[in-house]
Amino acid sequence: MTTSPLKLVCPTPSLLNDRVQLGHGSGGKMSAALFRDHFLPAFANDALLRLGDGAVVNVGGVDVVVSTDTFVVSPLEFPGGNIGSLAVHGSLNDVAMMGARPVLLATGYVLEEGFSLETLDRIVRSMGDAARLAGVPIVAGDTKVVERGKADGLYINTTCVAVADAELSPSPERARAGDAVIISAPIGRHGMAIMAAREGLAFETTITSDSACLTGLVDRLRTERIDAHVLRDPTRGGVASALNEIAASSCVGIELDESELPVPDDVRAACEVLGLDPLYVANEGVLIAIVDERDAERALRALHAHPLGATARRIGRVTASHPRVVSLRTGLGGMRIVDLLPGDQLPRIC
Amino acid sequence: MTTSPLKLVCPTPSLLNDRVQLGHGSGGKMSAALFRDHFLPAFANDALLRLGDGAVVNVGGVDVVVSTDTFVVSPLEFPGGNIGSLAVHGSLNDVAMMGARPVLLATGYVLEEGFSLETLDRIVRSMGDAARLAGVPIVAGDTKVVERGKADGLYINTTCVAVADAELSPSPERARAGDAVIISAPIGRHGMAIMAAREGLAFETTITSDSACLTGLVDRLRTERIDAHVLRDPTRGGVASALNEIAASSCVGIELDESELPVPDDVRAACEVLGLDPLYVANEGVLIAIVDERDAERALRALHAHPLGATARRIGRVTASHPRVVSLRTGLGGMRIVDLLPGDQLPRIC
């Protein structure tokens, strides 16, 4: 992989700092700052302090995991999915990454006046199909309508309620020096599919989003009793942002092998044309698992047994040196630091 | 009260029927049709069939109530509250109306690029204050940002997870002939406060929203072991829509006494100027309780003991005659049918 210059679409964070900027929705440094400075002080409680969009709470004696996510992807339909299937996959994946078993989905819709009911039907059917395939019912739905010109047709919020699994409790804080870093599938497909659809770009092949429900993969690890230290779906901000957050939370270094990174040819080509780095491009059907080195081969076999993990492979290791830093060993033998972006490469991909 | 002609802001439902209309967000007939025709077929499951935006589901052996609601109120700040306090009250009230005890809130935000962080801070602080006052933590928050010109500054989704109470299980299907219909507070304040703020109307006094958390009132009924047959907060579509839905679900008639309806003078005056009927104006801090006639006096005493229910009173009764019809006995001794509106009197009041 050649390293492309990054294209930032948000203004420098120090400018306009009394206003919301697109970068605040990136899942990167600016999102973290927005959460830390503007939400945490007002809501402070133990569950929220631990995590942003997901939490473990005792509900009537049961440890319940709750995760909420709002989807504003543009365009609403893209190769490989639409905002509906994405909203179901996204919320199911959030709780799956906490090792929990999803029980129900609640959904809320902001509809734009004039939005096509035929398109709505297609999107809602995709949601129903995705939820049924995952075996999780959608038990609540609330609709609001705003005037023409607002809401880009449709925004969807999904909240997933799940039961925590005492036997499987991955956490961004549990990566340990020596652990193996495994990825379940090729990277960059979702973000590039959205980008191509949005900008009307025609490449030689149509890049298809990888949007998928990852609970099946997590169940494979659960069945094999693999103590995954960290599970993460690298969505907004891609693999780079996910690993940076893990490195910071666990106070470890993470070293990636560039030659092992699975970047599909079409994604690589599109990224080069657009000046993007696949490490920062969003995925919606990819799992990162960080496991003890002794469990690595077993974990790979477990993932290989599931269609979504057929090409799972190691991409790197956790190190004690350079804590909080993610680095990439390049094809030429050099090392490059893979930093957290301040804002978005690609806004509104979920 | 004189009956004002109704001002409908949505087009006739039969027109444009392949497009979303503002009336689809009204909570009235069009909302019900949207849900029935476009969401139910795709999501069909037992929990969803029973209710729209709230459901009871077994989670790890515990009966959990989940309710989700998206708030698109315009303007974002108004006398008596803002979108933040409203979002907390709204979701807490939804589960309270099912007799459940709220345990946590999860929140999702769609922010418009350029939105003032100072305003965001004010709104988020109100959410924190409202949640703390109710004793319910906000445990999850997800933020997305959309481009300038979309999202009117801010939309908020709140989902409340609560534990069902086997001793208190009100339902819109449980109204029985002979039951008393009780209301906890004067009606119409929230809708008229929003309307006045949005349109910049100056009345002699400033109408203040009644937005409040109703869990305290429900706890009063719980403590007194009153078997409330139905509890309902008459939000979108007001008292008229709430009672119509109950009359239909329970297959009973409901007769209201116009002289008993608590309409504040300023609300009545504003409604007359604008050609609105207070029975259809939204409330956000009002509880309707339908109880056995033998429990009515005890229920009133229980409500009177709480500040939000100090002026609680009977407004009518449930009848076996005229099933599915809500009627109003007017000051002149006549009867008027209080029908469900097809769409919105006042869009975007929550």
Side-chain angles (χ1 to χ4, degrees):
Chain A
M1 196 191 75
T2 56
T3 306
S4 312
L6 301 180
K7 182 182 160 194
L8 293 176
V9 298
C10 64
T12 310
S14 59
L15 300 174
L16 303 170
N17 58 10
D18 60 343
R19 298 273 159 190
V20 171
Q21 300 163 53
L22 277 177
H24 280 130
S26 65
K29 277 182 186 170
M30 289 178 65
S31 291
L34 180 74
F35 182 69
R36 183 193 63 224
D37 298 341
H38 297 277
F39 288 89
L40 257 191
F43 296 166
N45 61 66
D46 290 347
L48 189 65
L49 282 169
R50 285 189 47 213
L51 285 151
D53 54 4
V56 185
V57 182
N58 186 291
V59 176
V62 176
D63 273 345
V64 164
V65 170
V66 179
S67 178
T68 195
D69 215 340
T70 304
F71 294 83
V72 298
V73 65
S74 169
L76 296 174
E77 299 180 288
F78 46 82
N82 60 41
I83 189 174
S85 52
L86 185 65
V88 169
H89 294 152
S91 270
L92 291 174
N93 292 350
D94 281 346
V95 301
M97 295 310 107
M98 298 171 74
R101 302 169 198 262
V103 176
L104 65 88
L105 287 161
T107 59
Y109 307 82
V110 178
L111 292 158
E112 180 185 352
E113 180 189 18
F115 185 60
S116 153
L117 286 173
E118 192 186 328
T119 309
L120 178 66
D121 283 342
R122 240 181 355 254
I123 289 169
V124 167
R125 262 200 308 273
S126 292
M127 296 184 77
D129 291 345
R132 256 186 304 277
L133 193 64
V136 181
I138 297 174
V139 300
D142 169 67
T143 53
K144 293 288 159 60
V145 181
V146 295
E147 296 85 348
R148 206 175 288 267
K150 309 288 179 184
D152 290 343
L154 172 64
Y155 302 143
I156 300 180
N157 176 280
T158 44
T159 301
C160 184
V161 175
V163 176
D165 180 352
E167 306 290 310
L168 184 63
S169 51
S171 153
E173 297 163 7
R174 288 187 58 210
R176 294 289 169 265
D179 284 357
V181 180
I182 290 171
I183 201 153
S184 65
I187 65 173
R189 288 173 49 204
H190 178 71
M192 295 317 295
I194 295 293
M195 196 63 181
R198 188 188 304 165
E199 306 297 337
L201 303 176
F203 298 109
E204 280 177 29
T205 57
T206 300
I207 302 177
T208 306
S209 168
D210 62 337
S211 180
C213 173
L214 297 169
T215 52
L217 277 182
V218 175
D219 284 341
R220 291 290 306 139
L221 298 173
R222 196 193 313 276
T223 305
E224 296 299 324
R225 298 183 166 275
I226 287 158
D227 175 23
H229 294 176
V230 185
L231 294 176
R232 176 59 67 95
D233 56 334
T235 57
R236 282 188 286 185
V239 170
S241 302
L243 292 181
N244 264 283
E245 199 184 318
I246 294 165
S249 298
S250 294
C251 202
V252 295
I254 295 178
E255 240 182 69
L256 301 176
D257 290 318
E258 188 176 46
S259 60
E260 295 300 325
L261 280 179
V263 184
D265 288 343
D266 52 3
V267 168
R268 187 186 303 276
C271 277
E272 284 182 5
V273 168
L274 296 169
L276 298 171
D277 183 335
L279 273 174
Y280 292 89
V281 175
N283 314 278
E284 292 289 347
V286 170
L287 167 75
I288 293 173
I290 297 184
V291 301
D292 192 292
E293 174 55 40
R294 287 167 300 189
D295 290 333
E297 285 306 315
R298 258 184 348 116
L300 281 167
R301 279 198 300 275
L303 295 175
H304 289 157
H306 191 283
L308 289 176
T311 61
R313 57 160 71 181
R314 291 167 190 246
I315 55 169
R317 67 205 62 79
V318 179
T319 66
S321 57
H322 310 298
R324 300 170 185 275
V325 173
V326 178
S327 53
L328 184 74
R329 189 175 300 275
T330 66
L332 301 171
M335 290 292 277
R336 159 166 92 84
I337 288 179
V338 180
D339 201 3
L340 198 60
L341 292 189
D344 259 350
Q345 274 200 132
L346 304 171
R348 303 196 48 191
I349 49 75
C350 64
Chain B
M1 197 191 75
T2 57
T3 307
S4 314
L6 301 180
K7 181 182 161 194
L8 293 175
V9 298
C10 63
T12 310
S14 60
L15 300 174
L16 303 169
N17 57 12
D18 59 343
R19 298 272 160 190
V20 171
Q21 299 163 54
L22 277 176
H24 281 129
S26 65
K29 276 181 187 171
M30 287 177 67
S31 292
L34 181 74
F35 182 70
R36 182 193 65 224
D37 298 341
H38 297 277
F39 288 89
L40 256 189
F43 297 167
N45 61 64
D46 290 348
L48 190 65
L49 282 169
R50 284 189 47 214
L51 285 151
D53 54 4
V56 185
V57 183
N58 186 292
V59 176
V62 176
D63 273 346
V64 164
V65 170
V66 179
S67 178
T68 195
D69 215 341
T70 304
F71 294 83
V72 298
V73 65
S74 170
L76 297 174
E77 299 180 287
F78 46 83
N82 59 41
I83 188 174
S85 52
L86 185 65
V88 169
H89 294 152
S91 269
L92 291 173
N93 292 351
D94 282 346
V95 300
M97 295 310 107
M98 298 171 74
R101 301 170 198 260
V103 177
L104 65 88
L105 287 162
T107 58
Y109 307 83
V110 178
L111 291 159
E112 180 185 352
E113 180 188 17
F115 185 60
S116 154
L117 287 173
E118 191 186 329
T119 310
L120 178 65
D121 283 342
R122 243 185 348 258
I123 288 168
V124 166
R125 261 200 308 273
S126 292
M127 297 183 77
D129 291 345
R132 256 186 304 277
L133 192 65
V136 181
I138 297 174
V139 301
D142 169 67
T143 53
K144 293 288 159 60
V145 180
V146 295
E147 296 86 348
R148 207 176 287 269
K150 310 287 179 187
D152 291 342
L154 172 65
Y155 301 143
I156 300 179
N157 176 281
T158 43
T159 302
C160 185
V161 175
V163 176
D165 180 352
E167 307 289 311
L168 183 62
S169 51
S171 153
E173 297 164 6
R174 289 188 58 211
R176 294 290 169 265
D179 285 356
V181 180
I182 290 171
I183 200 153
S184 64
I187 66 173
R189 288 173 49 205
H190 177 71
M192 294 317 295
I194 295 292
M195 197 62 183
R198 188 188 303 165
E199 306 297 336
L201 303 176
F203 298 111
E204 281 177 29
T205 58
T206 300
I207 302 177
T208 305
S209 167
D210 62 337
S211 179
C213 173
L214 297 169
T215 52
L217 277 181
V218 175
D219 285 341
R220 289 291 307 140
L221 298 173
R222 195 191 314 275
T223 305
E224 295 297 324
R225 299 183 165 277
I226 289 159
D227 175 24
H229 293 176
V230 186
L231 294 177
R232 175 58 66 96
D233 56 335
T235 57
R236 283 188 285 185
V239 170
S241 301
L243 291 180
N244 264 283
E245 200 185 318
I246 294 164
S249 299
S250 295
C251 201
V252 294
I254 295 179
E255 240 182 67
L256 300 177
D257 289 318
E258 186 175 49
S259 61
E260 295 300 324
L261 280 180
V263 184
D265 287 343
D266 51 3
V267 169
R268 187 187 302 275
C271 278
E272 284 184 3
V273 168
L274 296 169
L276 299 170
D277 183 336
L279 273 174
Y280 292 89
V281 176
N283 313 277
E284 291 289 346
V286 170
L287 167 75
I288 293 173
I290 298 184
V291 300
D292 192 291
E293 174 57 37
R294 288 167 300 187
D295 290 333
E297 285 305 315
R298 260 188 342 119
L300 281 167
R301 278 198 301 275
L303 296 174
H304 289 157
H306 191 282
L308 289 175
T311 62
R313 57 159 72 179
R314 292 168 190 243
I315 56 170
R317 67 204 64 78
V318 179
T319 67
S321 57
H322 311 297
R324 301 170 184 273
V325 173
V326 179
S327 53
L328 183 74
R329 188 175 300 276
T330 66
L332 301 170
M335 290 292 276
R336 159 167 94 85
I337 288 179
V338 179
D339 202 2
L340 198 60
L341 292 189
D344 260 351
Q345 273 200 133
L346 303 171
R348 300 193 53 189
I349 48 77
C350 64

